[in-house]
Structure formats: C-alpha cells, structure tokens
Amino acid sequence: METEGYIKPMGQPVTFERISALIEEQELTKEELLTCLRQMEEIRAFEDNIADLLGRAVLKGASHLYAGEEAVAVGTISALRDDDLVTSTHRGHGHAHAHGDRHAGTDEARQEHLNKMMAEVLGKSGGYCKGKGGSMHIADVEHGNLGATGIVGGNLPVAVGAALAQKIMKTDRVVVCFFGDGASNTGNFHESVNMASLWQLPIVFVVENNLYGMSAPFSNVSRLPNVADRAAAYGIPGVIVDGMDVLEVRKVAAEAIKRARGGEGPTLIEAKTYRWYGHSHSDPRVYRTRDEEADWKKHDPITVMREELKTVKMLSDQQRDAIEQAVEQKIEKAMEFAMASPEPDSSEVFTDVFAPTRFTQTDYNKDKELRENIQSGKIDRQITYAQALQEAMREEMLHDSRVFLLGEDIGLYGGAYGATRDLFKEFGTWRVLDTPISEATIGGAAVGAAMAGMRPVAEIMYVDFTPLIIDQVANVGAKNRYMFGGKTSVPLVIRSEGGAGRAIAAHHSQSLESLWTHFPGIHVAMPSTAYDAKGLLKAAIRDDNPVMFIEHKMLYKEKGPVPNEEYIIPFGVADIKRPGKDVTLVTYSRMVLRSLEAAANLEKDGLDVEVIDLRTLAPLDIDTIIESIKKTGRLVCVSEAYENTSFINEIMVQINERAFDYLDTPMIRVGALNVPVPRAENLEDIAIPNTQRIMEACRKAVK
C-alpha cells in the first residue's frame, strides 16, 4: 500500500551519454568525482555509526540523521568556492562534513575534521564547538559554515543577512541556505525569500524535500506539490532536481551559484530526496510503508554514483573497495578520538556567553567625568534625545564602514521622530536600508550580517513587536557564540521604542524589557537622557554582542546636555541622578524623570531620596545599589513594566540575597498594573506608575 500523496523517486536512467554529458558540461575531473563519492560514503558511515550509538544508548540527546540525502550536500557544496558561505539545519551533519572536508587540504586535516565532528556529536571538549553545541549545532564560522540550528526555518533569515553583507561589502561571495520541506511552510521562508528577491541578494535556497516534516507527508501540508513552484511568487527561478543524483544536483547548483555570483539574485532549488532513518531516533516511521522505503533505496545516491562512474569507466571494483575500507578506518579513528576526548571542564559552563568587553578604564573614567560636568552645569549644549541618537549613529557610521541600519520606514521618512531621515540622505540606500514589514527576517538578517562581518543596527518599530524576533535574536544571535564554543561573535543592535504615554493602547505601549533580560548572551540598555542615549548607543554599536536598545517613546523630544567631544558609556555602570540619604530609589528609562520629580516633591517634606538610573539592565550594576542601601537602609524600585514580571523583581531578589542585612524596612516595588495598557488616557495614567504612586512608596518605605 502506498502512502497518500507518495512521490516516487525521479530516478533517471544511467546511460553513458547522459553521464558523459554531465561530466563534460561541468568540466569535472576523475579526482573531483571520486571525492564526491568518498564524501557521500563518509557521511553515510558517519550517520550509520551515530544510529548505532543511539541504539546502544551510548549517545544521548537528539540526532537527526542525514543518511539518504548525501547527494544534496555534496553536490551543492562541491560547486562552491572556498570563500563562499553556508547555513545549515538540525539535520546538518552532511552539510558540515561536505563543507569541512572541502576546506581540509590534506588527509590528516580531513581526519581531524571528522574527529571534531564526531566529538561534537558526543558532547566532548575536542568537538568543533567544545561540546556545547552537539549534533544540531555544528559550526565552523571561520571557514564559512555559519552553523546549524535546531529551529526549523531559523537559518533562512540568517542566510539572508549573510548574503546582504556580501551585497553591502561588494564581494562576489555566495551564500547557500539548506533547509527542509517543513521549513518551507514557516513564515521565515516567505519573509526571507521575499527579502532576498527584493534586493537580488547572492543566495541560493536549497530545500531538501525528503517528503515528510517529522511524520506529516508534504502532500498533507501544501496544496502545491512542489516547493519550487512558490518561487514564481517572488520573481525568482524555481528548479526541481533529483536529489538522489549528485551530478544532477551539482549541475543545477552550479548554475544557481553562477547566477547569484553574477548579481542576478537568488534561486530556489528543490531537491527531491529521502531520509533513510526516521525524523529522530525515537521515530518508528509508522507513517510510511516499508515498500516505499525499499523503492527509494533502489535509488540510493551512493549506488547511483557508483553506477555512473562505472558506466564511464572511472571506478573499478578495486577503487570502490579501497574507498570503503578507507572510510571505515576514518570512522573508527574518529570514534577513538571522540571517546578519548574528555568531557568539557566544569568551568566551561560559564565561558563564551559574551564576547570580551571592548570598554577600557579610560571609557569608565571619561563617563564619570562627563556626568560630574553635567551635574555641575559645565556642559551647556542642549539637544533632544532623538538628536542624540542620530548623532550616535552618524558618528559610528563614519567611524566604521561596517555599520549599517535596517528596518521598516527608516529611510526617506526617517523612522522614529525622523532620527534616521538625514542619515538616509547622507549615507544612501545600502547603509540605511528600508525593509519590508518582516520583523523576524529583520532580526535574523541582522544576526547573519553580524556573523558575516558587518555591524548592523536593526530597528523594530515597537518593543511590543520584538517577540516576533525572539527565534532569531534570542535563540540564534544570543546563543550562537556559546553553542559554537566561543568561535563567533554577533555584534548587532536592535533599536526599539517602548512604554506608554501616547494613548495608543495595548499593542503599542508595553514595557517588555524583562523579556529580553531573560536570555543569556544579550545586553539590554534603556537610556533616560540625551547624554545616556548617545553614549550608550555608541557603546552598543561597538560591542561584540547582541544589544537590545530600548528607547522610550515619550523621551524623544526631551532635551538635555550632551558634550561635543567623543565619548561612549560603558555598560554596567549605573548613574546616581540625585544623591540622597533616606531612601534608595532604583529605576530606569522614562521612570527616571518621574522619580526625580517625586524626589523633588518629597524633599519639601524633609525626605531625602537617592535616585539611581540603571542605564543598562544587562549587565546590571548591583554594586551601586548595594552601596546606596548601606547608606539609606531602604529600597524602592520603580518600573513601567508589568509588576508581576518586571525586571525590578530580579533586583529585589539580588538585594535579598546580597544585602538583606542592610535593609531597615521591607523593599517596595512600583510597577505597572497587571492589565493590558488601556487606551483611555485617565486609565493609562492609573495603569502606569505616576509621580504620586512613587511618592507614596517612598513614604511607606520610611514608615
């Protein structure tokens, strides 16, 4: 019985004429052909070995095996140049091996490559990523493998960003993005292909259609029988190829790569293929028949290529046997290396989360000096918060040609309060890049561009929309450095505006910063003044980590003193905006202004409140807070975020753990009510902390 919608193998006849024509057309040497065969056999042996380890419970965790699909990885990657780039998927061992083997110039280096792959799958310190990535996250960024992802479709926006970087840098490098048929039904697919098509990026999308997304037949999840048919909607070529024939795959891939390298834009290649094993080790494959599997195995890509090479008299039985024997020995050596490789040292659990800081003692000293000058009135140049942001971006774009801006409506019309309009006029389209409304791909493109050598500043209109980029920025951008063993950096900035005050209701008025402080690997900055906005944004752009930079919509027109001279504000340094001795009031962003107003009013009653502006939430300057509490004995925390999940709760926990003995009274928090931000202005004012509520909290702390 056949599965409903079952697609039979394409299976073209192996004739001397067809094979000779394919070889001659691609100008392939015998050595290149035997290399392709060897690579496919190595991938198969590698996967069969892992299947055995899983079956014996020697290997733990999830491994998604590539056996059966070898021709797609080998055929495509063999058509690339050494400096081209690839992104991969959870089923990525084949891509990683074909790519790594290509960059290994000697037999010794090829063995080392296999050793590192096997060790990584087993979570050992000798792996490509020091055991921190494992089966689904092998990467070699230095040589152009930007890594695999366990998120279906998660690598598509990253590949677009890497290709965008090539376009901006005016290289002729090409990016190949591998993904499965399941990913073709995600929003990332449509956003990514559209963006790549719009900008004619040098990228080749390769969908490995193995007919099943986990257990769902492709025919059950798509009205169109072919993913390639969707290319027409984006004005790019869509090509179907027999994914079981490495020579056919290579021909189609070479044409697409040539087209991309020549500036003609993307191609969508659909390789019809089949996976020998289930989706994962626990998959019993009850959704497909054994007859179907047997039918596809008649078209085993390794068998097909052997027959092709024999037909044109380029492979003897002795050569075939020698390849098999050599492959077996390589896998044995790789296993010996992996088993002998030690587990990562326990200290490694803390390494590689963040790239090393660029901040120097000079930066810290200068920030302190400038703050003192502002407080004493020595700095008299007054500009708005929005102008400060614009100055920061302009200076960094002049300072470093790798800095570019991207986002919705940031070009001619200027983004939030026109902060980018003049930059668009000065730097042009490819430095200030208007994007489609595609938040996920804006975030993912920033990740990919950063990994490919650029320093993107991406704008998401409202912080309320940033959950749409969590997969890309939090699950990929923030984790890649750690998962890849510290062997990559992701220097990007996400600018967004948050907070209430404009009576635009719940979808455009939230304060979601605590969401972003949840993820290790991301810095979070929230400036309250023009001085802080400029210095922190410049620091964010120079930082080698992802930075969530959240501006408050009600601060753009606020003016403040900003020096003419060059400066940056190092992360993790809170600012005492108002010294005091009776109550420590900790806050950030717009609530700094309300807290200062409350402190001024309370001073009339004889209450001296110290107002601390965190400036950055991650890293957090907890020491400044503790030192203040030692003096005041009281703590009030104020935030515009929802009370039940606000970041101030984390501050209070840390104070409870580290400074409880210095407290004379219970800590008090002032947050937004746990309701969606209302449209009605009177209700909005009740929902969000106001000056009166802050004053009441300080009085309560003293009592």
Side-chain angles (χ1 to χ4, degrees):
M1 173 177 108
E2 290 183 356
T3 305
E4 183 180 354
Y6 161 57
I7 300 174
K8 290 183 176 292
M10 295 177 72
Q12 301 184 62
V14 178
T15 64
F16 181 85
E17 290 75 19
R18 185 177 74 85
I19 307 309
S20 297
L22 281 170
I23 294 172
E24 183 177 350
E25 182 180 358
Q26 299 177 63
E27 299 180 345
L28 295 172
T29 66
K30 180 178 180 179
E31 181 183 3
E32 289 172 327
L33 292 165
L34 291 176
T35 295
C36 286
L37 178 60
R38 173 183 59 78
Q39 288 177 348
M40 288 200 295
E41 295 210 30
E42 286 168 352
I43 294 169
R44 177 69 56 81
F46 188 92
E47 301 295 67
D48 287 346
N49 181 71
I50 292 175
D52 176 64
L53 295 175
L54 287 165
R56 293 188 288 116
V58 174
L59 174 60
K60 305 291 173 52
S63 282
H64 303 82
L65 302 181
Y66 195 73
E69 303 182 29
E70 296 88 352
V72 185
V74 171
T76 304
I77 290 173
S78 68
L80 289 172
R81 251 179 16 201
D82 283 350
D83 61 342
D84 290 329
L85 308 169
V86 300
T87 70
S88 184
T89 74
H90 58 283
R91 197 179 309 283
H93 301 162
H95 314 135
H97 178 57
H99 183 271
D101 187 83
R102 177 188 179 88
H103 285 85
T106 65
D107 288 341
E108 182 180 359
R110 293 188 186 100
Q111 183 65 59
E112 182 183 359
H113 157 64
L114 268 176
N115 292 352
K116 290 162 73 175
M117 277 192 60
M118 192 70 76
E120 188 59 40
V121 171
L122 288 169
K124 297 297 189 73
S125 60
Y128 262 109
C129 308
K130 302 193 296 189
K132 292 184 174 182
S135 175
M136 290 187 282
H137 309 110
I138 296 175
D140 184 10
V141 177
E142 179 186 358
H143 294 108
N145 177 359
L146 300 186
T149 174
I151 298 164
V152 173
N155 66 321
L156 282 122
V158 173
V160 169
L164 174 60
Q166 308 316 310
K167 182 104 174 180
I168 294 173
M169 293 188 291
K170 298 181 179 179
T171 77
D172 66 344
R173 299 164 79 190
V174 171
V175 179
V176 168
C177 175
F178 293 100
F179 58 101
D181 50 282
S184 70
N185 288 322
T186 67
N188 281 338
F189 168 81
H190 298 280
E191 289 187 19
S192 298
V193 176
N194 180 62
M195 196 174 282
S197 168
L198 174 68
W199 296 331
Q200 287 191 289
L201 298 182
I203 186 170
V204 179
F205 296 103
V206 180
V207 52
E208 297 174 301
N209 189 348
N210 58 32
L211 311 187
Y212 296 94
M214 293 187 70
S215 62
F218 186 71
S219 58
N220 287 6
V221 297
S222 173
R223 173 69 73 178
L224 289 174
N226 305 307
V227 179
D229 296 341
R230 302 179 185 181
Y234 302 103
I236 65 172
V239 184
I240 299 172
V241 66
D242 182 357
M244 311 302 276
D245 189 328
V246 71
L247 296 180
E248 294 286 352
V249 171
R250 193 186 188 284
K251 175 186 175 183
V252 168
E255 291 169 353
I257 291 165
K258 180 180 179 181
R259 184 174 181 276
R261 205 181 305 283
E264 297 180 62
T267 299
L268 174 60
I269 298 174
E270 179 180 9
K272 303 287 190 182
T273 184
Y274 202 77
R275 49 174 161 83
W276 270 203
Y277 295 97
H279 171 70
S280 62
H281 177 66
S282 60
D283 178 4
R285 313 194 313 280
V286 296
Y287 47 84
R288 64 190 200 189
T289 67
R290 296 302 173 256
D291 288 343
E292 175 188 315
E293 292 180 351
D295 193 10
W296 274 90
K297 286 191 175 183
K298 293 175 185 175
H299 300 272
D300 184 322
I302 294 173
T303 303
V304 168
M305 189 173 195
R306 285 174 177 171
E307 292 177 357
E308 290 174 340
L309 294 184
K310 283 184 178 180
T311 299
V312 293
K313 302 189 183 307
M314 288 190 179
L315 179 69
S316 66
D317 291 342
Q318 292 80 6
Q319 287 173 315
R320 181 201 64 199
D321 293 343
I323 290 173
E324 286 184 351
Q325 185 176 7
V327 167
E328 184 178 340
Q329 291 173 352
K330 280 186 176 181
I331 298 300
E332 287 178 359
K333 288 180 180 179
M335 270 303 297
E336 290 172 4
F337 174 86
M339 296 305 289
S341 181
E343 293 184 343
D345 188 86
S346 58
S347 63
E348 285 288 348
V349 73
F350 294 110
T351 64
D352 307 321
V353 179
F354 289 100
T357 182
R358 286 176 171 265
F359 306 133
T360 66
Q361 191 58 48
T362 300
D363 297 325
Y364 290 97
N365 294 342
K366 186 155 194 176
D367 172 49
K368 182 180 179 182
E369 177 188 346
L370 290 174
R371 283 185 282 134
E372 290 171 351
N373 290 342
I374 286 173
Q375 289 177 356
S376 65
K378 291 182 180 179
I379 297 174
D380 57 6
R381 185 176 78 112
Q382 297 276 327
I383 63 173
T384 67
Y385 190 97
Q387 288 172 319
L389 295 168
Q390 184 185 64
E391 282 190 4
M393 288 183 282
R394 181 175 186 273
E395 289 177 11
E396 293 308 305
M397 292 174 79
L398 291 171
H399 170 75
D400 190 339
S401 62
R402 297 173 297 170
V403 178
F404 74 102
L405 316 181
L406 73 160
E408 302 161 10
D409 194 35
I410 68 166
L412 184 60
Y413 301 104
Y417 290 86
T420 55
R421 183 186 302 119
D422 291 341
L423 299 177
F424 176 79
K425 294 176 182 177
E426 180 175 358
F427 292 98
T429 299
W430 292 103
R431 294 289 298 282
V432 182
L433 194 57
D434 261 326
T435 69
I437 299 176
S438 303
E439 280 83 3
T441 300
I442 294 169
V447 172
M451 292 182 70
M454 300 294 284
R455 305 189 81 87
V457 180
E459 182 178 315
I460 302 296
M461 279 191 176
Y462 293 94
V463 76
D464 313 75
F465 305 163
T466 60
L468 295 169
I469 68 171
I470 283 179
D471 252 1
Q472 296 303 310
V473 177
N475 277 335
V476 181
K479 294 175 183 173
N480 272 6
R481 179 177 178 81
Y482 188 83
M483 290 198 307
F484 297 167
K487 297 176 183 178
T488 188
S489 292
V490 190
L492 67 90
V493 179
I494 303 293
R495 285 184 56 229
S496 192
E497 67 172 57
R502 285 176 48 201
I504 49 178
H507 287 173
H508 297 76
S509 304
Q510 297 174 100
S511 294
L512 300 182
E513 59 272 10
S514 58
L515 176 68
W516 290 98
T517 62
H518 175 78
F519 302 105
I522 299 179
H523 287 149
V524 180
M526 295 191 70
S528 66
T529 67
Y531 168 78
D532 292 333
K534 180 174 180 178
L536 287 172
L537 183 53
K538 286 171 66 68
I541 294 171
R542 296 187 188 189
D543 194 49
D544 287 330
N545 301 285
V547 179
M548 178 60 65
F549 194 91
I550 304 175
E551 304 148 14
H552 198 291
K553 60 174 60 69
M554 300 305 292
L555 294 178
Y556 288 117
K557 295 181 180 180
E558 293 287 330
K559 283 191 172 183
V562 177
N564 281 306
E565 61 192 288
E566 167 76 19
Y567 74 98
I568 64 170
I569 298 175
F571 292 166
V573 180
D575 183 21
I576 301 176
K577 288 290 198 285
R578 183 189 190 280
K581 64 181 183 345
D582 295 329
V583 177
T584 298
L585 197 162
V586 176
T587 187
Y588 52 92
S589 192
R590 182 198 184 195
M591 288 295 110
V592 171
L593 276 62
R594 290 194 169 175
S595 296
L596 288 171
E597 183 180 359
N601 291 340
L602 290 167
E603 185 178 24
K604 300 171 187 175
D605 300 334
L607 191 59
D608 195 9
V609 177
E610 180 152 293
V611 178
I612 297 177
D613 179 359
L614 294 177
R615 303 201 291 183
T616 63
L617 310 190
L620 171 66
D621 181 2
I622 195 69
D623 292 334
T624 293
I625 301 172
I626 292 173
E627 288 305 309
S628 178
I629 291 171
K630 287 179 180 179
K631 175 175 56 176
T632 68
R634 301 172 180 89
L635 176 64
V636 174
C637 293
V638 181
S639 170
E640 197 169 319
Y642 300 123
E643 184 183 72
N644 65 340
T645 53
S646 172
F647 181 73
I648 59 177
N649 298 338
E650 170 63 20
I651 296 171
M652 295 169 79
V653 168
Q654 290 199 34
I655 294 302
N656 185 65
E657 293 172 345
R658 297 178 56 181
F660 179 79
D661 289 343
Y662 300 111
L663 292 170
D664 297 330
T665 62
M667 297 177 283
I668 300 174
R669 60 182 177 176
V670 183
L673 302 184
N674 296 318
V675 300
V677 181
R679 157 62 182 88
E681 292 166 81
N682 66 317
L683 297 180
E684 182 183 63
D685 190 54
I686 295 171
I688 302 303
N690 54 36
T691 303
Q692 189 60 39
R693 283 177 60 193
I694 297 170
M695 291 171 62
E696 290 170 0
C698 291
R699 291 191 182 109
K700 183 178 179 181
V702 173
K703 290 179 182 178

